[in-house]
Amino acid sequence: MNLPIHDHMVHRAHGIYDSLSVRHHRVHLLDKHLRRLEHSASVARIPFPFPTDSLVQKILDLLAFAYTKATKEDLLNLRFYLSSGDGDFGILPKESVLYAVVVKGHPYKGTKLYDGVSELIIKDVPVKPPILATIKSTNYLLNALTAVFAKVCSFIELMIIYRKEGVISG
């Protein structure tokens, strides 16, 4: 998948995403994921480029094609991204764009995450602002900084936990 560099999701982080698992041709919690995507889009002020009910059919069509390249037993992960759109590097985007990709397999298969990991406390990364903590935004800079710090300390995954708020991301 290629994204234009002038897409607002790339140069302004004005985009949202969601992902869901598919196994044995069964889409897990599609309605829940679509409601979360709609909520995130509303908060981020990104209109859908088409009605949500037609998105369901597009998702099913994409997965049907993906299964022509995979076995029934393969775990597929569908990731969809809603960008506020092309903006020619300006502040305001032109119209929203939906991108989707299907990834085969589980990203952590064969790693320590299946067995559990030790704890690492990172205090150098600030808390996400509330608006970013309540939607599935493509602005993952704080997560990326935490992951880089964890890797430097020989850890392979992160979970951001704050005393008052609980689990923020993982």
Side-chain angles (χ1 to χ4, degrees):
M1 175 169 56
N2 295 314
L3 296 175
I5 193 73
H6 50 78
D7 187 297
H8 272 237
M9 189 165 62
V10 175
H11 76 91
R12 299 267 182 212
H14 192 187
I16 58 166
Y17 81 98
D18 210 321
S19 65
L20 53 90
S21 297
V22 183
R23 183 176 291 242
H24 302 292
H25 295 270
R26 299 182 83 178
V27 180
H28 299 280
L29 304 171
L30 179 59
D31 289 340
K32 178 181 176 183
H33 287 279
L34 290 178
R35 283 193 308 274
R36 184 167 63 185
L37 188 71
E38 287 176 322
H39 167 75
S40 295
S42 172
V43 173
R45 310 268 195 282
I46 303 172
F48 266 87
F50 40 77
T52 309
D53 57 339
S54 67
L55 175 58
V56 171
Q57 190 56 53
K58 290 176 188 310
I59 288 170
L60 296 177
D61 291 345
L62 178 61
L63 290 171
F65 175 76
Y67 268 112
T68 66
K69 309 288 183 190
T71 68
K72 185 177 177 183
E73 287 74 34
D74 284 333
L75 172 67
L76 299 180
N77 188 274
L78 172 66
R79 300 174 187 197
F80 33 93
Y81 301 84
L82 182 61
S83 166
S84 58
D86 176 15
D88 295 328
F89 297 106
I91 294 176
L92 295 175
K94 293 180 181 171
E95 71 180 279
S96 59
V97 178
L98 182 76
Y99 301 96
V101 63
V102 177
V103 180
K104 181 178 163 183
H106 192 286
Y108 303 116
K109 189 171 185 175
T111 70
K112 292 180 185 178
L113 287 180
Y114 274 58
D115 302 325
V117 295
S118 301
E119 181 177 320
L120 172 66
I121 297 173
I122 300 172
K123 297 181 179 180
D124 298 338
V125 180
V127 155
K128 286 183 180 182
I131 193 169
L132 295 181
T134 59
I135 66 173
K136 296 289 285 184
S137 165
T138 56
N139 185 337
Y140 261 49
L141 180 59
L142 298 178
N143 299 65
L145 292 173
T146 304
V148 168
F149 188 85
K151 184 176 181 181
V152 166
C153 297
S154 298
F155 282 75
I156 57 171
E157 184 56 85
L158 67 111
M159 182 175 290
I160 301 172
I161 302 174
Y162 297 102
R163 291 184 209 276
K164 294 179 184 175
E165 295 88 351
V167 175
I168 301 294
S169 184

